[in-house]
Short mmCIF file of all heavy atoms in Angstrom, two decimals:
data_model
loop_
_atom_site.label_atom_id
_atom_site.label_comp_id
_atom_site.label_asym_id
_atom_site.label_seq_id
_atom_site.Cartn_x
_atom_site.Cartn_y
_atom_site.Cartn_z
N ASP A 1 58.36 -3.83 -0.26
CA ASP A 1 57.98 -3.43 -1.60
C ASP A 1 58.31 -4.58 -2.56
O ASP A 1 59.44 -5.08 -2.57
CB ASP A 1 58.72 -2.16 -2.01
CG ASP A 1 58.26 -1.65 -3.36
OD1 ASP A 1 57.21 -0.97 -3.40
OD2 ASP A 1 58.93 -1.95 -4.36
N LEU A 2 57.32 -5.00 -3.35
CA LEU A 2 57.49 -6.14 -4.25
C LEU A 2 57.71 -5.71 -5.71
O LEU A 2 57.52 -6.51 -6.62
CB LEU A 2 56.27 -7.05 -4.16
CG LEU A 2 55.97 -7.63 -2.78
CD1 LEU A 2 54.74 -8.52 -2.83
CD2 LEU A 2 57.15 -8.38 -2.22
N THR A 3 58.13 -4.47 -5.91
CA THR A 3 58.34 -3.99 -7.27
C THR A 3 59.39 -4.83 -8.00
O THR A 3 59.18 -5.25 -9.13
CB THR A 3 58.76 -2.51 -7.26
OG1 THR A 3 57.73 -1.75 -6.60
CG2 THR A 3 58.97 -1.99 -8.67
N GLU A 4 60.51 -5.05 -7.36
CA GLU A 4 61.58 -5.86 -7.94
C GLU A 4 61.57 -7.23 -7.27
O GLU A 4 61.44 -7.31 -6.04
CB GLU A 4 62.94 -5.20 -7.73
CG GLU A 4 63.08 -3.86 -8.40
CD GLU A 4 63.10 -3.95 -9.91
OE1 GLU A 4 63.60 -4.96 -10.45
OE2 GLU A 4 62.60 -3.02 -10.56
N PRO A 5 61.73 -8.30 -8.04
CA PRO A 5 61.72 -9.64 -7.44
C PRO A 5 63.01 -9.92 -6.67
O PRO A 5 64.04 -10.23 -7.25
CB PRO A 5 61.58 -10.57 -8.65
CG PRO A 5 62.10 -9.79 -9.80
CD PRO A 5 61.83 -8.35 -9.49
N ARG A 6 62.93 -9.77 -5.34
CA ARG A 6 64.08 -10.03 -4.48
C ARG A 6 63.71 -11.15 -3.51
O ARG A 6 62.76 -10.99 -2.71
CB ARG A 6 64.47 -8.76 -3.73
CG ARG A 6 64.98 -7.66 -4.65
CD ARG A 6 65.41 -6.42 -3.87
NE ARG A 6 64.37 -5.95 -2.98
CZ ARG A 6 63.56 -4.91 -3.22
NH1 ARG A 6 63.69 -4.24 -4.35
NH2 ARG A 6 62.67 -4.54 -2.34
N PRO A 7 64.41 -12.26 -3.54
CA PRO A 7 64.06 -13.41 -2.70
C PRO A 7 63.97 -13.08 -1.22
O PRO A 7 63.08 -13.59 -0.53
CB PRO A 7 65.19 -14.41 -2.96
CG PRO A 7 65.71 -14.04 -4.31
CD PRO A 7 65.56 -12.55 -4.42
N ASN A 8 64.86 -12.23 -0.70
CA ASN A 8 64.81 -11.92 0.73
C ASN A 8 63.52 -11.20 1.11
O ASN A 8 62.98 -11.41 2.20
CB ASN A 8 66.03 -11.10 1.16
CG ASN A 8 66.09 -9.74 0.49
OD1 ASN A 8 65.95 -9.64 -0.74
ND2 ASN A 8 66.32 -8.70 1.26
N VAL A 9 62.99 -10.36 0.23
CA VAL A 9 61.75 -9.65 0.52
C VAL A 9 60.58 -10.63 0.57
O VAL A 9 59.74 -10.56 1.46
CB VAL A 9 61.49 -8.53 -0.51
CG1 VAL A 9 60.13 -7.89 -0.30
CG2 VAL A 9 62.58 -7.48 -0.43
N TYR A 10 60.54 -11.56 -0.38
CA TYR A 10 59.48 -12.57 -0.35
C TYR A 10 59.59 -13.44 0.89
O TYR A 10 58.59 -13.81 1.51
CB TYR A 10 59.52 -13.44 -1.62
CG TYR A 10 59.09 -12.69 -2.85
CD1 TYR A 10 60.00 -12.32 -3.81
CD2 TYR A 10 57.75 -12.35 -3.03
CE1 TYR A 10 59.60 -11.62 -4.94
CE2 TYR A 10 57.34 -11.65 -4.15
CZ TYR A 10 58.28 -11.29 -5.10
OH TYR A 10 57.88 -10.60 -6.21
N TYR A 11 60.81 -13.77 1.30
CA TYR A 11 61.02 -14.56 2.50
C TYR A 11 60.50 -13.81 3.73
O TYR A 11 59.76 -14.38 4.55
CB TYR A 11 62.51 -14.88 2.67
CG TYR A 11 62.82 -15.61 3.95
CD1 TYR A 11 62.62 -16.98 4.05
CD2 TYR A 11 63.30 -14.92 5.06
CE1 TYR A 11 62.89 -17.66 5.22
CE2 TYR A 11 63.57 -15.60 6.24
CZ TYR A 11 63.37 -16.96 6.31
OH TYR A 11 63.63 -17.61 7.48
N GLU A 12 60.87 -12.55 3.87
CA GLU A 12 60.44 -11.75 5.01
C GLU A 12 58.93 -11.57 5.02
O GLU A 12 58.29 -11.61 6.08
CB GLU A 12 61.15 -10.40 5.00
CG GLU A 12 62.63 -10.53 5.27
CD GLU A 12 63.42 -9.29 4.93
OE1 GLU A 12 62.82 -8.27 4.53
OE2 GLU A 12 64.66 -9.32 5.05
N PHE A 13 58.34 -11.39 3.84
CA PHE A 13 56.88 -11.25 3.75
C PHE A 13 56.20 -12.55 4.18
O PHE A 13 55.25 -12.54 4.96
CB PHE A 13 56.49 -10.87 2.32
CG PHE A 13 55.01 -10.87 2.08
CD1 PHE A 13 54.17 -10.11 2.87
CD2 PHE A 13 54.45 -11.63 1.07
CE1 PHE A 13 52.79 -10.10 2.66
CE2 PHE A 13 53.09 -11.63 0.85
CZ PHE A 13 52.26 -10.87 1.65
N GLY A 14 56.72 -13.68 3.70
CA GLY A 14 56.16 -14.98 4.09
C GLY A 14 56.29 -15.23 5.57
O GLY A 14 55.36 -15.76 6.21
N LEU A 15 57.42 -14.84 6.15
CA LEU A 15 57.62 -15.00 7.59
C LEU A 15 56.62 -14.16 8.37
O LEU A 15 56.01 -14.64 9.32
CB LEU A 15 59.05 -14.61 7.95
CG LEU A 15 59.46 -14.79 9.40
CD1 LEU A 15 59.35 -16.24 9.83
CD2 LEU A 15 60.88 -14.28 9.61
N ALA A 16 56.42 -12.92 7.95
CA ALA A 16 55.45 -12.05 8.61
C ALA A 16 54.05 -12.65 8.53
O ALA A 16 53.30 -12.65 9.53
CB ALA A 16 55.46 -10.66 7.99
N GLN A 17 53.68 -13.18 7.37
CA GLN A 17 52.37 -13.82 7.24
C GLN A 17 52.27 -15.04 8.14
O GLN A 17 51.26 -15.25 8.81
CB GLN A 17 52.11 -14.23 5.79
CG GLN A 17 51.67 -13.11 4.90
CD GLN A 17 51.22 -13.63 3.55
OE1 GLN A 17 51.92 -14.43 2.93
NE2 GLN A 17 50.08 -13.18 3.11
N GLY A 18 53.32 -15.86 8.15
CA GLY A 18 53.32 -17.08 8.96
C GLY A 18 53.21 -16.79 10.45
O GLY A 18 52.62 -17.57 11.19
N LEU A 19 53.77 -15.68 10.88
CA LEU A 19 53.71 -15.28 12.28
C LEU A 19 52.48 -14.44 12.59
O LEU A 19 52.32 -13.94 13.70
CB LEU A 19 54.98 -14.52 12.67
CG LEU A 19 56.28 -15.33 12.64
CD1 LEU A 19 57.49 -14.43 12.88
CD2 LEU A 19 56.23 -16.46 13.66
N ASN A 20 51.63 -14.26 11.58
CA ASN A 20 50.40 -13.47 11.71
C ASN A 20 50.69 -12.03 12.15
O ASN A 20 49.99 -11.47 12.98
CB ASN A 20 49.41 -14.15 12.67
CG ASN A 20 47.99 -13.69 12.42
OD1 ASN A 20 47.64 -13.31 11.31
ND2 ASN A 20 47.18 -13.72 13.45
N LYS A 21 51.75 -11.47 11.59
CA LYS A 21 52.13 -10.08 11.87
C LYS A 21 51.47 -9.14 10.88
O LYS A 21 51.23 -9.51 9.72
CB LYS A 21 53.65 -9.90 11.76
CG LYS A 21 54.45 -10.73 12.73
CD LYS A 21 54.36 -10.12 14.09
CE LYS A 21 55.27 -10.84 15.06
NZ LYS A 21 55.23 -10.25 16.37
N SER A 22 51.18 -7.95 11.32
CA SER A 22 50.65 -6.94 10.41
C SER A 22 51.72 -6.62 9.37
O SER A 22 52.91 -6.59 9.68
CB SER A 22 50.30 -5.66 11.17
OG SER A 22 49.28 -5.92 12.11
N HIS A 23 51.29 -6.40 8.15
CA HIS A 23 52.24 -6.09 7.08
C HIS A 23 51.56 -5.19 6.06
O HIS A 23 50.34 -5.14 5.96
CB HIS A 23 52.76 -7.36 6.40
CG HIS A 23 51.67 -8.26 5.92
ND1 HIS A 23 51.09 -9.21 6.73
CD2 HIS A 23 51.04 -8.35 4.73
CE1 HIS A 23 50.14 -9.84 6.05
NE2 HIS A 23 50.10 -9.33 4.83
N VAL A 24 52.38 -4.45 5.35
CA VAL A 24 51.90 -3.57 4.29
C VAL A 24 52.70 -3.92 3.04
O VAL A 24 53.92 -3.86 3.05
CB VAL A 24 52.12 -2.08 4.65
CG1 VAL A 24 51.64 -1.19 3.51
CG2 VAL A 24 51.42 -1.73 5.95
N VAL A 25 52.00 -4.30 1.99
CA VAL A 25 52.65 -4.67 0.74
C VAL A 25 52.49 -3.52 -0.25
O VAL A 25 51.38 -3.01 -0.44
CB VAL A 25 52.04 -5.97 0.16
CG1 VAL A 25 52.68 -6.34 -1.15
CG2 VAL A 25 52.17 -7.10 1.17
N THR A 26 53.60 -3.14 -0.88
CA THR A 26 53.58 -2.08 -1.88
C THR A 26 54.26 -2.57 -3.15
O THR A 26 55.07 -3.49 -3.10
CB THR A 26 54.29 -0.80 -1.38
OG1 THR A 26 55.67 -1.08 -1.18
CG2 THR A 26 53.67 -0.29 -0.10
N ALA A 27 53.93 -1.93 -4.25
CA ALA A 27 54.59 -2.20 -5.53
C ALA A 27 54.31 -1.03 -6.45
O ALA A 27 53.26 -0.39 -6.37
CB ALA A 27 54.09 -3.49 -6.15
N TYR A 28 55.27 -0.76 -7.32
CA TYR A 28 55.10 0.30 -8.30
C TYR A 28 53.95 -0.05 -9.24
O TYR A 28 53.78 -1.21 -9.62
CB TYR A 28 56.40 0.52 -9.09
CG TYR A 28 56.34 1.72 -9.99
CD1 TYR A 28 56.45 3.00 -9.46
CD2 TYR A 28 56.17 1.57 -11.35
CE1 TYR A 28 56.39 4.11 -10.28
CE2 TYR A 28 56.11 2.68 -12.18
CZ TYR A 28 56.22 3.95 -11.64
OH TYR A 28 56.15 5.05 -12.46
N LYS A 29 53.14 0.95 -9.59
CA LYS A 29 52.01 0.76 -10.49
C LYS A 29 52.48 0.08 -11.78
O LYS A 29 53.46 0.48 -12.38
CB LYS A 29 51.38 2.12 -10.82
CG LYS A 29 50.11 2.02 -11.60
CD LYS A 29 49.53 3.41 -11.82
CE LYS A 29 48.26 3.31 -12.65
NZ LYS A 29 47.68 4.62 -12.87
N GLY A 30 51.78 -0.98 -12.17
CA GLY A 30 52.13 -1.73 -13.37
C GLY A 30 52.95 -2.98 -13.09
O GLY A 30 53.17 -3.78 -13.99
N THR A 31 53.39 -3.16 -11.84
CA THR A 31 54.13 -4.35 -11.47
C THR A 31 53.22 -5.56 -11.53
O THR A 31 52.10 -5.53 -11.02
CB THR A 31 54.71 -4.22 -10.04
OG1 THR A 31 55.58 -3.10 -9.98
CG2 THR A 31 55.44 -5.48 -9.62
N THR A 32 53.68 -6.63 -12.15
CA THR A 32 52.94 -7.89 -12.16
C THR A 32 53.47 -8.74 -11.01
O THR A 32 54.64 -9.11 -10.99
CB THR A 32 53.14 -8.63 -13.49
OG1 THR A 32 52.69 -7.79 -14.56
CG2 THR A 32 52.35 -9.93 -13.51
N LEU A 33 52.59 -9.02 -10.05
CA LEU A 33 53.00 -9.80 -8.90
C LEU A 33 52.93 -11.29 -9.21
O LEU A 33 52.07 -11.72 -9.98
CB LEU A 33 52.11 -9.47 -7.70
CG LEU A 33 52.12 -8.02 -7.22
CD1 LEU A 33 51.13 -7.83 -6.09
CD2 LEU A 33 53.52 -7.62 -6.78
N PRO A 34 53.80 -12.10 -8.61
CA PRO A 34 53.74 -13.55 -8.82
C PRO A 34 52.40 -14.11 -8.35
O PRO A 34 51.73 -13.53 -7.49
CB PRO A 34 54.87 -14.08 -7.94
CG PRO A 34 55.76 -12.92 -7.69
CD PRO A 34 54.89 -11.70 -7.75
N PHE A 35 52.03 -15.25 -8.88
CA PHE A 35 50.72 -15.84 -8.61
C PHE A 35 50.45 -16.04 -7.13
O PHE A 35 49.31 -15.94 -6.68
CB PHE A 35 50.56 -17.17 -9.35
CG PHE A 35 51.33 -18.30 -8.71
CD1 PHE A 35 50.71 -19.14 -7.80
CD2 PHE A 35 52.67 -18.52 -9.01
CE1 PHE A 35 51.41 -20.17 -7.21
CE2 PHE A 35 53.38 -19.55 -8.43
CZ PHE A 35 52.74 -20.39 -7.52
N ASP A 36 51.47 -16.34 -6.34
CA ASP A 36 51.23 -16.67 -4.94
C ASP A 36 51.08 -15.44 -4.03
O ASP A 36 50.77 -15.59 -2.86
CB ASP A 36 52.32 -17.60 -4.40
CG ASP A 36 53.72 -17.10 -4.64
OD1 ASP A 36 53.91 -16.12 -5.39
OD2 ASP A 36 54.65 -17.70 -4.08
N VAL A 37 51.26 -14.25 -4.57
CA VAL A 37 51.01 -13.04 -3.79
C VAL A 37 50.08 -12.06 -4.50
O VAL A 37 49.78 -11.00 -3.96
CB VAL A 37 52.32 -12.31 -3.40
CG1 VAL A 37 53.15 -13.13 -2.45
CG2 VAL A 37 53.11 -11.90 -4.61
N ASN A 38 49.59 -12.42 -5.68
CA ASN A 38 48.77 -11.45 -6.42
C ASN A 38 47.40 -11.22 -5.82
O ASN A 38 46.71 -10.29 -6.21
CB ASN A 38 48.68 -11.80 -7.91
CG ASN A 38 47.89 -13.05 -8.19
OD1 ASN A 38 47.36 -13.68 -7.28
ND2 ASN A 38 47.82 -13.42 -9.45
N ASP A 39 46.98 -12.04 -4.85
CA ASP A 39 45.70 -11.80 -4.19
C ASP A 39 45.85 -11.09 -2.85
O ASP A 39 44.87 -10.83 -2.16
CB ASP A 39 44.94 -13.12 -4.02
CG ASP A 39 45.66 -14.12 -3.14
OD1 ASP A 39 46.89 -13.98 -2.95
OD2 ASP A 39 45.01 -15.04 -2.63
N VAL A 40 47.08 -10.75 -2.49
CA VAL A 40 47.34 -10.02 -1.25
C VAL A 40 47.04 -8.54 -1.49
O VAL A 40 47.46 -7.98 -2.50
CB VAL A 40 48.81 -10.20 -0.82
CG1 VAL A 40 49.16 -9.33 0.36
CG2 VAL A 40 49.10 -11.66 -0.54
N PRO A 41 46.28 -7.89 -0.58
CA PRO A 41 46.03 -6.45 -0.74
C PRO A 41 47.36 -5.69 -0.86
O PRO A 41 48.23 -5.82 -0.01
CB PRO A 41 45.28 -6.06 0.53
CG PRO A 41 44.66 -7.34 1.00
CD PRO A 41 45.63 -8.43 0.62
N THR A 42 47.49 -4.95 -1.93
CA THR A 42 48.75 -4.26 -2.24
C THR A 42 48.48 -2.80 -2.56
O THR A 42 47.53 -2.48 -3.26
CB THR A 42 49.43 -4.95 -3.45
OG1 THR A 42 49.64 -6.32 -3.14
CG2 THR A 42 50.75 -4.30 -3.79
N ILE A 43 49.32 -1.94 -2.06
CA ILE A 43 49.28 -0.52 -2.42
C ILE A 43 50.13 -0.36 -3.67
O ILE A 43 51.35 -0.54 -3.62
CB ILE A 43 49.83 0.36 -1.29
CG1 ILE A 43 48.96 0.24 -0.03
CG2 ILE A 43 49.94 1.82 -1.75
CD1 ILE A 43 49.55 0.92 1.20
N PHE A 44 49.50 -0.05 -4.79
CA PHE A 44 50.23 0.23 -6.02
C PHE A 44 50.41 1.74 -6.12
O PHE A 44 49.44 2.48 -6.03
CB PHE A 44 49.47 -0.30 -7.24
CG PHE A 44 49.52 -1.80 -7.35
CD1 PHE A 44 48.48 -2.57 -6.89
CD2 PHE A 44 50.62 -2.43 -7.89
CE1 PHE A 44 48.53 -3.96 -6.98
CE2 PHE A 44 50.69 -3.81 -7.99
CZ PHE A 44 49.63 -4.57 -7.53
N TRP A 45 51.63 2.17 -6.27
CA TRP A 45 51.95 3.60 -6.24
C TRP A 45 52.62 4.02 -7.53
O TRP A 45 53.26 3.24 -8.21
CB TRP A 45 52.84 3.92 -5.04
CG TRP A 45 54.07 3.07 -4.95
CD1 TRP A 45 54.18 1.83 -4.38
CD2 TRP A 45 55.35 3.38 -5.46
NE1 TRP A 45 55.45 1.36 -4.50
CE2 TRP A 45 56.20 2.29 -5.16
CE3 TRP A 45 55.88 4.47 -6.13
CZ2 TRP A 45 57.55 2.27 -5.52
CZ3 TRP A 45 57.23 4.45 -6.49
CH2 TRP A 45 58.04 3.36 -6.17
N ALA A 46 52.44 5.31 -7.85
CA ALA A 46 53.03 5.87 -9.06
C ALA A 46 54.04 6.96 -8.74
O ALA A 46 54.79 7.39 -9.60
CB ALA A 46 51.94 6.42 -9.99
N GLY A 47 54.05 7.42 -7.50
CA GLY A 47 54.97 8.47 -7.09
C GLY A 47 55.13 8.48 -5.58
O GLY A 47 54.33 7.90 -4.85
N GLN A 48 56.18 9.14 -5.11
CA GLN A 48 56.50 9.18 -3.69
C GLN A 48 55.40 9.81 -2.84
O GLN A 48 55.10 9.33 -1.75
CB GLN A 48 57.82 9.92 -3.47
CG GLN A 48 59.01 9.19 -4.05
CD GLN A 48 59.26 7.85 -3.38
OE1 GLN A 48 59.24 7.75 -2.16
NE2 GLN A 48 59.51 6.84 -4.18
N THR A 49 54.79 10.87 -3.33
CA THR A 49 53.72 11.53 -2.57
C THR A 49 52.53 10.61 -2.40
O THR A 49 51.99 10.48 -1.29
CB THR A 49 53.29 12.85 -3.27
OG1 THR A 49 54.44 13.70 -3.39
CG2 THR A 49 52.21 13.55 -2.48
N GLN A 50 52.14 9.95 -3.47
CA GLN A 50 51.03 9.00 -3.40
C GLN A 50 51.35 7.86 -2.44
O GLN A 50 50.51 7.46 -1.63
CB GLN A 50 50.72 8.45 -4.79
CG GLN A 50 49.59 7.46 -4.82
CD GLN A 50 49.43 6.79 -6.18
OE1 GLN A 50 50.26 6.94 -7.07
NE2 GLN A 50 48.36 6.04 -6.34
N LEU A 51 52.55 7.33 -2.51
CA LEU A 51 52.97 6.24 -1.63
C LEU A 51 52.95 6.70 -0.17
O LEU A 51 52.43 5.99 0.70
CB LEU A 51 54.36 5.74 -2.01
CG LEU A 51 54.95 4.65 -1.11
CD1 LEU A 51 54.08 3.41 -1.10
CD2 LEU A 51 56.36 4.33 -1.58
N LYS A 52 53.46 7.88 0.09
CA LYS A 52 53.50 8.41 1.46
C LYS A 52 52.10 8.51 2.06
O LYS A 52 51.87 8.09 3.19
CB LYS A 52 54.17 9.78 1.46
CG LYS A 52 54.26 10.44 2.80
CD LYS A 52 54.94 11.80 2.69
CE LYS A 52 54.93 12.54 3.99
NZ LYS A 52 55.56 13.86 3.87
N GLU A 53 51.17 9.05 1.30
CA GLU A 53 49.79 9.20 1.79
C GLU A 53 49.13 7.84 2.01
O GLU A 53 48.44 7.62 3.00
CB GLU A 53 48.98 10.06 0.84
CG GLU A 53 49.41 11.51 0.82
CD GLU A 53 49.37 12.15 2.20
OE1 GLU A 53 48.38 11.97 2.93
OE2 GLU A 53 50.34 12.85 2.55
N ALA A 54 49.33 6.91 1.08
CA ALA A 54 48.73 5.58 1.20
C ALA A 54 49.30 4.84 2.41
O ALA A 54 48.57 4.16 3.14
CB ALA A 54 48.95 4.78 -0.08
N LEU A 55 50.60 4.97 2.63
CA LEU A 55 51.22 4.32 3.79
C LEU A 55 50.73 4.94 5.09
O LEU A 55 50.46 4.22 6.06
CB LEU A 55 52.74 4.43 3.70
CG LEU A 55 53.42 3.52 2.70
CD1 LEU A 55 54.90 3.85 2.59
CD2 LEU A 55 53.21 2.06 3.05
N ARG A 56 50.61 6.26 5.11
CA ARG A 56 50.10 6.92 6.31
C ARG A 56 48.71 6.40 6.67
O ARG A 56 48.42 6.09 7.82
CB ARG A 56 50.06 8.44 6.09
CG ARG A 56 49.57 9.20 7.30
CD ARG A 56 49.74 10.66 7.11
NE ARG A 56 51.20 10.89 7.09
CZ ARG A 56 51.79 11.96 6.61
NH1 ARG A 56 51.07 12.92 6.10
NH2 ARG A 56 53.09 12.09 6.63
N GLU A 57 47.86 6.27 5.67
CA GLU A 57 46.50 5.77 5.90
C GLU A 57 46.52 4.31 6.37
O GLU A 57 45.84 3.96 7.35
CB GLU A 57 45.69 5.89 4.61
CG GLU A 57 44.25 5.44 4.74
CD GLU A 57 43.48 5.60 3.45
OE1 GLU A 57 43.76 6.54 2.69
OE2 GLU A 57 42.58 4.77 3.21
N LYS A 58 47.27 3.47 5.71
CA LYS A 58 47.30 2.05 6.05
C LYS A 58 47.91 1.82 7.43
O LYS A 58 47.39 1.02 8.22
CB LYS A 58 48.09 1.27 4.99
CG LYS A 58 48.08 -0.21 5.19
CD LYS A 58 46.67 -0.75 5.02
CE LYS A 58 46.67 -2.25 5.08
NZ LYS A 58 45.32 -2.80 5.03
N ILE A 59 48.98 2.51 7.75
CA ILE A 59 49.59 2.36 9.06
C ILE A 59 48.65 2.86 10.15
O ILE A 59 48.58 2.29 11.23
CB ILE A 59 50.97 3.06 9.10
CG1 ILE A 59 51.94 2.29 8.19
CG2 ILE A 59 51.51 3.16 10.52
CD1 ILE A 59 53.24 3.00 7.91
N GLY A 60 47.90 3.92 9.86
CA GLY A 60 46.88 4.39 10.80
C GLY A 60 45.81 3.34 11.07
O GLY A 60 45.39 3.15 12.21
N GLU A 61 45.39 2.65 10.02
CA GLU A 61 44.41 1.57 10.16
C GLU A 61 44.97 0.46 11.05
O GLU A 61 44.27 -0.04 11.94
CB GLU A 61 44.04 0.99 8.80
CG GLU A 61 43.23 1.89 7.91
CD GLU A 61 43.07 1.32 6.51
OE1 GLU A 61 43.35 0.12 6.29
OE2 GLU A 61 42.67 2.09 5.61
N ILE A 62 46.20 0.07 10.80
CA ILE A 62 46.82 -0.99 11.59
C ILE A 62 46.96 -0.56 13.06
O ILE A 62 46.66 -1.33 13.97
CB ILE A 62 48.19 -1.38 10.99
CG1 ILE A 62 47.98 -2.06 9.64
CG2 ILE A 62 48.96 -2.29 11.95
CD1 ILE A 62 49.25 -2.27 8.85
N ALA A 63 47.38 0.67 13.27
CA ALA A 63 47.52 1.18 14.64
C ALA A 63 46.19 1.18 15.37
O ALA A 63 46.12 0.83 16.55
CB ALA A 63 48.12 2.58 14.62
N SER A 64 45.13 1.53 14.67
CA SER A 64 43.80 1.55 15.28
C SER A 64 43.36 0.14 15.68
O SER A 64 42.75 -0.06 16.73
CB SER A 64 42.77 2.14 14.32
OG SER A 64 43.03 3.50 14.10
N LEU A 65 43.68 -0.83 14.85
CA LEU A 65 43.33 -2.22 15.16
C LEU A 65 44.04 -2.73 16.39
O LEU A 65 43.53 -3.58 17.11
CB LEU A 65 43.67 -3.13 13.98
CG LEU A 65 42.81 -2.98 12.73
CD1 LEU A 65 43.38 -3.84 11.59
CD2 LEU A 65 41.37 -3.40 13.02
N HIS A 66 45.20 -2.19 16.66
CA HIS A 66 46.01 -2.64 17.79
C HIS A 66 45.90 -1.68 18.97
O HIS A 66 46.71 -1.76 19.89
CB HIS A 66 47.47 -2.82 17.37
CG HIS A 66 47.66 -3.91 16.36
ND1 HIS A 66 47.63 -5.24 16.70
CD2 HIS A 66 47.84 -3.87 15.02
CE1 HIS A 66 47.81 -5.98 15.62
NE2 HIS A 66 47.93 -5.16 14.58
N GLY A 67 44.93 -0.76 18.92
CA GLY A 67 44.72 0.17 20.01
C GLY A 67 45.80 1.21 20.18
O GLY A 67 46.01 1.73 21.27
N ARG A 68 46.48 1.53 19.09
CA ARG A 68 47.56 2.51 19.16
C ARG A 68 47.25 3.77 18.37
O ARG A 68 48.11 4.55 18.08
CB ARG A 68 48.86 1.90 18.66
CG ARG A 68 49.29 0.72 19.48
CD ARG A 68 50.56 0.14 18.94
NE ARG A 68 50.80 -1.13 19.58
CZ ARG A 68 51.28 -2.19 18.97
NH1 ARG A 68 51.59 -2.13 17.69
NH2 ARG A 68 51.48 -3.30 19.61
N GLY A 69 46.00 3.92 17.94
CA GLY A 69 45.68 5.05 17.09
C GLY A 69 45.01 6.09 17.83
O GLY A 69 44.55 7.05 17.85
#
């Protein structure tokens, strides 16, 4: 989640991208992302229920791509 600027989260996200690993980026609705990640597909959420449903859908998509769905 990129809602709060935490260096370790950006590091882990960059590592996942560099290793070509599947990843899901989230941020609270209204968060301004830094220029180097603002073009990454991001789930912007306003509440826990919305986030849960969006994550369920996205993880299902990833699982299907890897033959696990």
Side-chain angles (χ1 to χ4, degrees):
D1 185 82
L2 301 180
T3 302
E4 298 292 328
R6 295 182 307 259
N8 63 311
V9 174
Y10 289 108
Y11 176 81
E12 292 165 3
F13 173 55
L15 183 60
Q17 281 189 312
L19 294 174
N20 202 28
K21 298 285 186 178
S22 297
H23 54 273
V24 179
V25 178
T26 65
Y28 187 75
K29 187 177 178 180
T31 300
T32 302
L33 299 177
F35 76 94
D36 52 350
V37 294
N38 68 1
D39 62 340
V40 173
T42 303
I43 297 171
F44 287 98
W45 53 275
Q48 294 296 314
T49 302
Q50 180 188 9
L51 177 60
K52 180 181 175 181
E53 292 303 315
L55 285 173
R56 181 172 293 161
E57 182 179 327
K58 185 65 174 176
I59 292 169
E61 290 172 14
I62 292 170
S64 293
L65 290 174
H66 295 283
R68 299 179 191 141

